Each structure stands twice: as structure tokens, then as C-alpha cells.
């Protein structure tokens, strides 16, 4: 009996030691994630202060609030799970260029940047024209070429022999499609993340017509339009009200990331969204394209994403369960795992 009690006491001490190690690991992950979030929040506040000068050019926007049910999930980076094992052996392309979607900026990728760097890869983020820290007035951005200029300039300056993997979120899909048409020889793979994978002659806005209505109707009736050149001129941009954004983009995202987005989102230039994209089979068609579907997405529904996949035939399709339209917030670990998996495809 005495030996049994001693054995049990030893087992308890071992279990306690294991629990303490797990707690330390969890606390370390929490501290690192909190530090990253504070850094992103600090940058966003600075961005907001810099962008105040553009407020005078924006018309008053009166919108309805979303009635969609809001749910908050814990951030997968806030638990004790480790990032998946990953080997750089045999990997020839290690540089990812992360391209944000409408209203977002480079700031939205902060979790993915950290995880890719931890895996030994080289993530690069860009602020498209009029987005994030790019202080161009969005009312002056009228074409996809202007909007995508920071991405195009980066690709133009790449060494001749170097290739990259592009990741485009939401309408960032149009920008990486445009880049793939311009520089197919510099792009190893193009990953469309719940994105506008458009066909030749299609407008990025058309992909969202199920949620927002036709382009013509939106231009006439939307309450979210911005008239940067005056009410008697065509609209120059749009921006959803905060409650509407929460319902569309962040229905599964952690509250602190929603708070970050609410002070960081900027108006969307309308011209690039309404421009028909010219894509050729000889250039864009030869690119290796992959699509990542988000299955709890209220901005670009799973049915619409499935339709995009059917109509555009990407090389591979991946799905993230429980993700809203912002998987870099709601499911960063799942997204990270998929990016590594695509990178390893020969």
C-alpha cells in the first residue's frame, strides 16, 4: 500500500511538471501573439492619424447594420498547439508576396507573416495604392493598373532569375491576376484566398454581385458610395459601415482583430473594381493557380467560391472550415498550413 502511494505521488509530480511546461509554452505563445497584435495595432493607429486628411473628401455614408448572428472564436494561435512541421529541403521558391483585399492593408497579414517567418520562409507584404500606409487619396485611383502599382513595381525589380508565390485575398485576386498576366515568368504559383478569380473580360465586382447586386444597381442605389469629386459626378469609391463590415468580413474573427480592422480599414477605390480585366491564355493561362475556399464566409459565399472554381479550373483547391472572409484572423494556423502545403507542391 505504501509503495502504491509513493508511486502515485511520483506520478502526480510528473503530471504537474508536464502541466507547468505546457502552461509555460502556452504563456509564451500568448505573449508572442499579444506582442504582434500590439505592434499591428500601433501601426494601424498611426495609419489612421495619417489618413485623417482625406476625411473632407468623403461624402457622408449612411448604411444599414447587419442582422447576421455574430460569433467569436478563440484565436488558434492562442492555444498550446505548435505550428506544423515543415522542411525547406528541396524548396526552390521561399518568397511569398501577400496581397490584401478591398479596404484592407498589409497590416491584416501580421499573424501569417510571423508564422511563415518562423517556418524559414520570406513573406513580403504590400500596400496597394490608397491602402494601408499608402497615403494616395483613394478617390484618385481609377484603374486596376494604378491600384496594383506597388505590386507591379516590386515584381519589376525582382532579379531576373528569382520567382515568388503570390497570395491574393478577396479583390486582391484581381491584382495577382493582373500581375500573372504581366509577369508569368516571375510567378511560381498564384494562390487565390477567397478571392476574385476573374475570367477574361470580367470585372472584380461581378464576383460579389450575389451579395451586393449588379454593378449597375450598386452604382445607382448603394448607400455606401463615396463621391470624391462631388455628388454631381460619378462615385469614386465605397466603404461599408462598421457593423456591416463586421457582419460580412469578420463573423468568426477574434474581437481584438475586429478592433484592429475597424481603425485600419480604408475606402475602396471603385474604378479598379469596375474595370474589365484582360487576361490571355498565352500568359495568365500558363500560370499555376490555386484556390483556398472559406466555408463560413458571408462576403463571398461558399457557393460563389465553388462557382469560381468550376469556371476557372485552378490546379488545386483547398478548404478552411469555420473561416469567415478573413482567414488570416479567424483561422491563421489552418491558412499557414495550406500555404506551406502549396509551396511544397512540385
Amino acid at each position: 500500500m505504501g509503495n502504491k502511494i509513493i508511486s502515485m505521488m511520483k506520478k502526480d509530480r510528473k503530471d504537474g511538471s508536464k502541466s507547468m511546461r505546457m502552461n509555460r509554452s502556452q504563456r509564451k505563445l500568448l505573449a508572442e501573439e499579444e506582442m504582434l497584435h500590439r505592434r499591428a495595432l500601433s501601426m494601424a493607429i498611426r495609419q489612421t492619424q495619417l489618413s485623417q486628411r482625406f476625411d473632407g473628401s468623403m461624402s457622408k455614408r449612411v448604411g444599414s447594420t447587419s442582422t447576421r448572428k455574430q460569433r467569436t472564436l478563440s484565436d488558434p494561435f492562442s492555444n498550446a498547439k505548435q505550428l506544423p512541421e515543415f522542411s525547406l529541403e528541396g524548396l526552390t521558391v521561399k518568397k511569398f508576396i501577400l496581397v490584401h483585399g478591398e479596404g484592407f492593408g498589409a497590416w491584416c497579414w501580421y499573424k501569417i507573416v510571423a508564422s511563415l517567418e518562423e517556418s524559414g520562409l520570406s513573406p513580403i507584404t504590400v500596400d496597394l495604392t490608397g491602402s494601408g500606409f499608402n497615403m494616395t487619396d483613394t478617390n484618385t485611383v481609377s484603374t486596376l493598373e494604378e491600384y496594383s502599382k506597388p505590386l507591379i513595381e516590386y515584381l519589376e525589380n525582382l532579379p531576373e532569375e528569382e520567382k515568388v508565390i503570390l497570395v491574393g485575398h478577396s479583390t486582391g485576386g484581381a491584382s495577382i491576376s493582373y500581375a500573372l498576366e504581366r509577369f508569368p515568368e516571375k510567378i511560381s504559383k498564384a494562390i487565390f484566398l477567397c478571392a476574385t478569380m476573374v475570367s477574361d473580360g470580367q470585372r472584380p465586382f461581378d464576383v460579389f454581385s450575389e451579395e451586393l447586386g449588379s454593378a449597375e444597381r450598386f452604382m445607382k442605389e448603394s448607400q455606401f458610395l463615396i463621391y470624391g469629386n462631388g455628388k454631381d459626378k460619378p462615385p469614386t469609391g465605397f466603404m461599408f459601415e462598421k457593423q456591416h463590415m463586421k457582419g460580412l468580413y469578420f463573423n468568426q474573427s477574434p474581437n481584438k482583430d475586429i478592433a484592429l480592422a475597424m481603425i485600419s480599414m480604408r475606402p475602396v477605390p471603385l474604378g479598379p473594381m469596375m474595370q474589365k480585366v484582360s487576361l490571355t491564355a498565352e500568359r495568365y493561362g500558363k500560370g499555376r493557380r490555386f484556390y483556398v475556399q472559406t466555408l463560413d464566409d458571408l462576403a463571398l459565399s461558399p457557393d460563389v467560391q465553388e462557382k469560381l472554381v468550376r469556371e476557372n479550373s485552378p490546379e488545386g483547391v483547398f478548404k478552411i472550415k469555420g473561416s469567415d472572409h478573413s482567414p488570416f484572423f479567424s483561422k491563421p494556423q489552418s491558412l499557414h498550413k495550406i500555404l506551406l502545403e502549396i509551396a511544397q507542391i512540385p
Side-chain angles (χ1 to χ4, degrees):
M1 181 71 178
N3 290 337
K4 186 176 180 181
I5 292 173
I6 292 171
S7 176
M8 289 174 64
M9 289 174 65
K10 288 181 178 179
K11 183 178 184 299
D12 288 343
R13 283 198 296 270
K14 287 181 180 179
D15 290 345
S17 176
K18 182 179 179 182
S19 176
M20 286 177 66
R21 286 196 300 272
M22 288 180 64
N23 286 338
R24 282 197 295 270
S25 175
Q26 187 173 7
R27 284 197 299 272
K28 183 181 177 182
L29 282 170
L30 281 167
E32 290 175 351
E33 199 267 338
E34 185 64 28
M35 180 188 69
L36 284 169
H37 185 267
R38 287 182 180 181
R39 190 179 301 167
L41 186 60
S42 175
M43 291 175 67
I45 290 171
R46 181 178 165 225
Q47 170 195 300
T48 303
Q49 292 169 341
L50 287 172
S51 63
Q52 289 300 315
R53 58 182 174 173
F54 295 131
D55 287 351
S57 64
M58 295 164 55
S59 64
K60 184 177 180 181
R61 299 180 296 277
V62 181
S64 60
T65 59
S66 172
T67 57
R68 302 187 198 277
K69 184 179 179 182
Q70 301 290 309
R71 287 185 286 167
T72 301
L73 297 183
S74 60
D75 187 336
F77 274 11
S78 297
N79 55 34
K81 293 182 180 178
Q82 300 297 316
L83 293 174
E85 291 184 7
F86 174 69
S87 173
L88 293 177
E89 187 177 349
L91 195 64
T92 56
V93 179
K94 301 177 183 179
K95 183 174 288 184
F96 284 76
I97 301 182
L98 308 175
V99 183
H100 62 82
E102 71 285 357
F104 291 82
W107 52 267
C108 72
W109 298 105
Y110 78 95
K111 294 180 182 179
I112 304 305
V113 167
S115 63
L116 289 177
E117 286 179 344
E118 188 174 333
S119 296
L121 297 169
S122 302
I124 303 294
T125 59
V126 294
D127 281 318
L128 299 178
T129 307
S131 306
F133 276 102
N134 185 304
M135 288 295 117
T136 304
D137 187 346
T138 54
N139 294 306
T140 67
V141 184
S142 57
T143 67
L144 183 61
E145 182 180 6
E146 290 175 294
Y147 185 55
S148 307
K149 188 177 179 181
L151 171 62
I152 298 304
E153 287 182 342
Y154 186 88
L155 292 172
E156 283 177 335
N157 293 320
L158 273 180
E160 189 174 334
E161 69 284 355
E162 187 173 356
K163 288 192 174 186
V164 298
I165 296 173
L166 293 187
V167 183
H169 169 244
S170 199
T171 57
S175 291
I176 69 170
S177 295
Y178 176 65
L180 193 55
E181 176 69 22
R182 289 282 306 272
F183 304 106
E185 72 284 353
K186 293 187 176 184
I187 299 167
S188 171
K189 300 180 180 85
I191 303 172
F192 293 76
L193 177 59
C194 51
T196 50
M197 182 183 275
V198 294
S199 305
D200 178 47
Q202 191 178 20
R203 296 174 293 196
F205 186 91
D206 294 339
V207 176
F208 292 91
S209 60
E210 183 178 292
E211 179 66 36
L212 301 176
S214 69
E216 292 73 21
R217 182 180 176 184
F218 184 83
M219 293 284 282
K220 289 180 181 178
E221 302 177 9
S222 176
Q223 298 175 326
F224 307 111
L225 293 173
I226 298 169
Y227 294 86
N229 298 323
K231 274 285 189 177
D232 58 332
K233 305 288 185 180
T236 54
F238 72 92
M239 188 171 185
F240 296 122
E241 293 291 339
K242 288 184 177 181
Q243 284 303 115
H244 201 82
M245 278 194 284
K246 289 178 182 179
L248 283 176
Y249 295 133
F250 310 115
N251 52 294
Q252 296 288 8
S253 294
N255 286 331
K256 62 182 179 180
D257 289 326
I258 296 175
L260 170 63
M262 290 303 98
I263 65 169
S264 305
M265 299 287 282
R266 289 183 60 188
V268 182
L270 200 54
M273 291 279 286
M274 297 299 179
Q275 180 181 332
K276 292 182 179 180
V277 183
S278 179
L279 303 171
T280 63
E282 295 76 22
R283 298 183 68 80
Y284 172 81
K286 291 182 178 179
R288 301 185 66 185
R289 293 171 292 114
F290 298 82
Y291 201 95
V292 181
Q293 295 176 307
T294 42
L295 301 186
D296 204 3
D297 195 324
L298 300 180
L300 197 63
S301 72
D303 288 342
V304 171
Q305 294 182 49
E306 193 65 42
K307 181 182 177 184
L308 291 175
V309 167
R310 288 197 307 270
E311 292 177 348
N312 295 280
S313 303
E315 181 178 329
V317 179
F318 299 78
K319 300 182 179 184
I320 305 180
K321 294 181 180 179
S323 175
D324 54 23
H325 197 58
S326 304
F328 35 73
F329 290 156
S330 58
K331 288 290 182 178
Q333 195 167 10
S334 298
L335 175 56
H336 172 259
K337 183 178 179 181
I338 287 172
L339 295 180
L340 297 189
E341 189 172 343
I342 294 175
Q344 291 175 307
I345 295 175

